[in-house]
Amino acid sequence: MTIPAPGMDHSLYPFSALPTRPALHWPGGAGLALGLVVHFDYWEIDPPQGAISDPRFGDTFGAFRPDQRTYAWREYGNRIGIFRLMEALDRHGLRATLAAGSAAIARCPQVIEAALTRGWEVAAHGGFATQMISSAMTAEEEAGVIATSVDAIKAATGQRPFGWIGQDFGESTRTPDLLAKAGFRYLCDWPNDDQPYLMTTSPPILSIPVQTELDDVQLLWHRRVPTPRYPDLVAEAADVLRAEGGRSLILGLHPWLFGMPHRIRYLDATLARLVQTDGIWHAPLAAISDHVRSEFSKGSPA
């Protein structure tokens, strides 16, 4: 792999300092694009030996097989929490991108139906929450996971997905190229910027960075930030990014966490503040991707 510049250890994109880049232009003169990602995944109660999952998840009492308690948390999200999230977004006229794992689609088709009824985008999210993509896989195994994810969404929605949101940001060194060759237009696994940019894959795939520190699991579950602080933290980030102009704010939401009855009001309060703030364009990630590509075709830098 060719090293493109000092400090870079890959050639997936060139280094680009934010102050040297003109801001993107969002519809209606907005200073900020807001995208919501609702994670829809399935945690196996007894995953196969050798499967890799995010080590920060799991039973607080230790590692068990079968992992009934972690399974039950996730199952709560798919049975109860996700519908509570949908109702919260409905109240504010917001559409999300559903990051849908193929295993969850097979087990919970009602969730897909509810998302489609609301006009949500459905993006690919791999297979199982307990089987992240990693370099432990062969190229054939990884390509198989991607193909299975595409096929599951096509069968459930009638359309192929053009967005990829990796399970817990899991990737191998091959993933961006494999996704580009499979026809994906954007991915969300690289939280390294405040606006989308093109990667040097063939064909180029758009990276839409997620604000990982504001992801509900990372903020509230792993870092133990009190949930009542969430509305102010998100609003402060939105204010800064909106004032800078041409930025994006992509928020990850997990139904098993924010779909709990003692947390949902804080998400509702956050959404209320965002939709009442001028200068924010709310859109699913596919619409953000299409708009950014249109901007780049006019000569805006990637």
Side-chain angles (χ1 to χ4, degrees):
M1 181 178 289
T2 303
I3 304 301
M8 302 290 283
D9 56 3
H10 59 80
S11 55
L12 287 169
Y13 52 83
F15 177 79
S16 176
L18 184 59
T20 66
R21 279 181 274 162
L24 292 168
H25 300 96
W26 300 120
L32 176 65
L34 172 69
L36 304 176
V37 175
V38 175
H39 293 263
F40 173 43
D41 52 31
Y42 179 78
W43 184 280
E44 295 169 284
I45 196 168
D46 194 9
Q49 292 289 344
I52 294 177
S53 60
D54 189 325
R56 295 171 300 173
F57 293 117
D59 197 308
T60 53
F61 294 98
F64 298 98
R65 296 182 73 96
D67 187 4
Q68 169 263 332
R69 278 179 286 217
T70 307
Y71 166 86
W73 292 332
R74 299 298 182 102
E75 187 75 348
Y76 180 92
N78 293 340
R79 292 166 64 91
I80 303 293
I82 199 161
F83 299 102
R84 200 170 271 140
L85 287 187
M86 287 177 171
E87 291 171 0
L89 269 67
D90 289 347
R91 284 193 288 274
H92 302 287
L94 294 170
R95 292 182 297 141
T97 294
L98 185 72
S102 60
I105 292 171
R107 287 161 174 78
C108 312
Q110 298 93 335
V111 172
I112 294 293
E113 293 170 9
L116 294 178
T117 298
R118 290 167 165 80
W120 286 21
E121 173 198 5
V122 180
H125 190 46
F128 296 83
T130 39
Q131 298 185 41
M132 288 171 52
I133 284 180
S134 76
S135 292
M137 291 181 173
T138 66
E140 292 73 21
E141 288 171 336
E142 183 174 356
V145 171
I146 293 170
T148 298
S149 185
V150 171
D151 291 344
I153 291 174
K154 285 174 64 176
T157 69
Q159 296 181 333
R160 71 143 294 153
F162 291 104
W164 178 270
I165 301 168
Q167 180 69 51
D168 298 312
F169 303 96
E171 279 196 0
S172 76
T173 56
R174 301 173 297 257
T175 306
D177 281 308
L178 288 174
L179 293 172
K181 288 179 171 59
F184 284 90
R185 295 176 183 169
Y186 75 83
L187 60 78
C188 296
D189 298 344
W190 291 74
N192 58 349
D193 212 309
D194 283 331
Q195 65 184 43
Y197 61 91
L198 287 171
M199 286 186 151
T200 57
T201 55
S202 181
I205 193 170
L206 189 74
S207 174
I208 302 181
V210 176
Q211 271 74 14
T212 53
E213 281 205 27
L214 293 175
D215 175 273
D216 59 352
V217 168
Q218 294 206 38
L219 188 72
L220 309 178
W221 187 262
H222 294 315
R223 295 171 57 205
R224 306 297 186 191
V225 174
T227 305
R229 292 193 58 198
Y230 184 83
D232 285 341
L233 290 171
V234 172
E236 185 171 351
D239 286 345
V240 170
L241 294 169
R242 182 170 54 94
E244 290 176 347
R247 308 297 186 240
S248 57
L249 176 60
I250 312 301
L251 297 175
L253 304 172
H254 292 74
W256 60 270
L257 186 69
F258 245 135
M260 289 286 180
H262 59 286
R263 291 194 180 97
I264 192 65
R265 73 183 178 104
Y266 298 105
L267 176 62
D268 192 81
T270 303
L271 300 178
R273 290 174 67 168
L274 292 173
V275 299
Q276 292 166 12
T277 301
D278 292 333
I280 300 179
W281 175 49
H282 318 96
L285 299 194
I288 293 174
S289 171
D290 289 346
H291 181 81
V292 171
R293 285 183 175 274
S294 175
E295 287 280 298
F296 289 165
S297 70
K298 298 173 187 176
S300 297

